[in-house]
Amino acid sequence: MELLEKKIIEKGVVLPGGVLKVGSFLNNQIDVELLSAMGEEVAVRFKDKNVTKVLTVEASGIPFACFIAQKLQCFAVFAKKSKSINVEGELYQADCYSFTHKTLNKLIVPKEYLSENDVVLIADDFLARGEVVNALISIVRQAGATLAGVSVAIEKGFQNGGDELRKQGVDLYSLAVVKEMGEDGIKFRSEN
């Protein structure tokens, strides 16, 4: 998506360790016009899949998922990274490692929010090695739901998570695929 790539080049900051900081428009401060366009782009791509839920993980994926869900006219559901006192009843759970936070998280979704009747689109802000997406796929499978596909705002193509998902037959749609990033700037892969 050219609009997103342009914004990444203008406002993205490359940090040591393969981290791309996009907090000024995608995470901490949200450019709602951009997110709305991104949601529309993804909705057009998955419009014929009869999506009933857009599943993401807290917290940075929530805005992206909500804009997609709005355009698809369905619910957005997010997995929590830990159990809190307001989460009760039976849960779907999956472990995943967070590249950004360098922690192991147990993702949880109350069973009342996903069922075998759902067609689920997984959405997240980033895809690096695929740990989070694979954990969310596990939750979709535990629910007996149908996986419509996966959409991410920014895929770090050099970390191979997206390529592995494609090899598994997952319908993955990335709005921007970073081929390389460093002191010389950010370069994108044209195909995804």
Side-chain angles (χ1 to χ4, degrees):
M1 177 180 198
E2 190 176 325
L3 184 63
L4 177 58
E5 290 177 359
K6 183 179 176 188
K7 187 68 86 166
I8 293 168
I9 289 169
E10 288 175 2
K11 302 281 188 178
V13 178
V14 177
L15 300 175
V19 174
L20 176 59
K21 182 178 176 184
V22 291
S24 67
F25 62 92
L26 189 62
N27 299 125
N28 302 97
Q29 176 173 272
I30 299 164
D31 181 336
V32 295
E33 292 298 321
L34 174 63
L35 266 288
S36 181
M38 291 165 59
E40 182 66 32
E41 177 93 6
V42 174
V44 167
R45 171 70 162 63
F46 289 97
K47 68 180 176 172
D48 296 331
K49 297 270 188 144
N50 301 313
V51 174
T52 61
K53 302 275 172 73
V54 178
L55 177 65
T56 192
V57 64
E58 67 176 356
S60 298
I62 294 173
F64 183 49
C66 285
F67 277 97
I68 296 168
Q70 178 191 36
K71 304 297 182 181
L72 289 172
Q73 298 180 330
C74 66
F75 281 98
V77 175
F78 69 90
K80 288 183 166 270
K81 293 179 183 172
S82 62
K83 191 169 182 198
S84 58
I85 60 172
N86 64 341
V87 175
E88 53 189 27
E90 295 185 63
L91 306 169
Y92 301 117
Q93 301 180 50
D95 291 332
C96 76
Y97 181 76
S98 169
F99 173 80
T100 307
H101 298 283
K102 308 286 189 232
T103 58
L104 183 64
N105 296 307
K106 183 173 290 297
L107 303 187
I108 58 171
V109 175
K111 288 188 176 182
E112 64 189 287
Y113 300 136
L114 285 178
S115 76
E116 68 275 356
N117 299 319
D118 284 312
V119 178
V120 180
L121 174 62
I122 293 172
D124 206 2
D125 59 339
F126 274 95
L127 171 62
R129 296 185 179 133
E131 288 95 342
V132 171
V133 169
N134 280 311
L136 292 173
I137 289 172
S138 172
I139 287 172
V140 170
R141 289 183 178 144
Q142 289 172 49
T146 301
L147 178 65
V150 175
S151 185
V152 294
I154 303 168
E155 176 185 338
K156 294 179 181 176
F158 57 91
Q159 289 183 308
N160 302 320
D163 294 332
E164 289 301 316
L165 289 169
R166 289 180 188 93
K167 285 179 191 171
Q168 294 171 28
V170 173
D171 185 0
L172 172 62
Y173 185 54
S174 303
L175 296 181
V177 182
V178 176
K179 180 170 62 173
E180 56 187 70
M181 60 185 197
E183 293 177 10
D184 296 335
I186 300 166
K187 295 185 177 132
F188 297 97
R189 192 166 78 191
S190 59
E191 82 287 342
N192 93 59

